[in-house]
């Protein structure tokens, strides 16, 4: 019997079984996992390039700090992929914030408006932010490992916050990666403003 038909007959969607299967032959998912592993390594390399004493550098008062960009990357990846994986639905941002899929953040800093990290040593703040970013990338990668190529085209009609409306599961994954690139690029500019040569793009994005 067709697998999809069987799932429909017993009242389950393919997503309901994501956590119970580890696909063995899904070329698109395998490629996505490789890209996310590379993205993790490059993102951490950019983060680590900033000296700890300049970790909260911002070009102007209206901009997020270097550290905020990376916390924002981690939080957003956690939320987009959490929405994909969770069987619950979240009609708006406030509902999503009550979900159980969020990893604990190391700092209550505002992730959408300029703000400052909790007063700690420069070294401690950099270590905490680095760990959070690494953990959120690992969350994405471990989630992708539970997906199949078939599931990627689904999810378009799943209830989501307005800014993710109409996204398929693949859209959520690609949107997360493009969002990471968007904020990582801003962080690279911050490095340049501090006279720091950023990690090279090509050599840090090989597979």
């Amino acid at each position: 019997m067709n697998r999809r038909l069987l799932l429909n007959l017993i009242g389950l969607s393919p997503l309901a079984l994501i956590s119970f299967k580890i696909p063995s032959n899904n070329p698109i998912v395998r490629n996505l996992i490789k890209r996310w592993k590379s993205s993790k390594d490059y993102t951490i390399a950019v983060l680590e390039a900033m000296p700890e004493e300049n970790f909260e550098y911002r070009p102007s008062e209206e901009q997020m700090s270097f550290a905020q960009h990376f916390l924002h990357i981690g939080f957003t990846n956690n939320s987009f992929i959490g929405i994909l994986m969770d069987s619950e639905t979240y009609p708006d941002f406030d509902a999503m914030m009550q979900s159980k899929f969020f990893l604990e953040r190391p700092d209550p800093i505002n992730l959408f408006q300029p703000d400052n990290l909790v007063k700690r040593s420069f070294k401690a703040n950099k270590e905490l932010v680095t760990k959070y970013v690494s953990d959120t990338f690992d969350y994405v990668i471990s989630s992708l490992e539970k997906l199949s190529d078939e599931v990627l085209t689904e999810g378009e009609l799943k209830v989501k916050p307005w800014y993710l409306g109409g996204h398929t599961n693949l859209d959520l994954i690609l949107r997360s990666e493009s969002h990471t690139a968007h904020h990582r690029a801003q962080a690279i500019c911050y490095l340049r403003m501090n006279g720091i040569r950023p990690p090279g793009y090509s050599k840090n994005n090989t597979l």
Side-chain angles (χ1 to χ4, degrees), residues 71 105-111 115-118 120:
L71 287 170
R105 283 163 45 196
D107 198 290
I109 191 171
N110 190 315
L111 297 185
D115 197 3
N116 297 312
L117 294 168
V118 170
R120 308 182 185 92

Side-chain angles (χ1 to χ4, degrees), residues 135-150:
D135 288 348
T136 50
F137 266 97
D138 289 344
Y139 169 80
V140 172
I141 293 166
S142 64
S143 296
L144 296 182
E145 289 171 346
K146 300 173 185 175
L147 298 179
S148 67
D149 284 3
E150 181 182 17

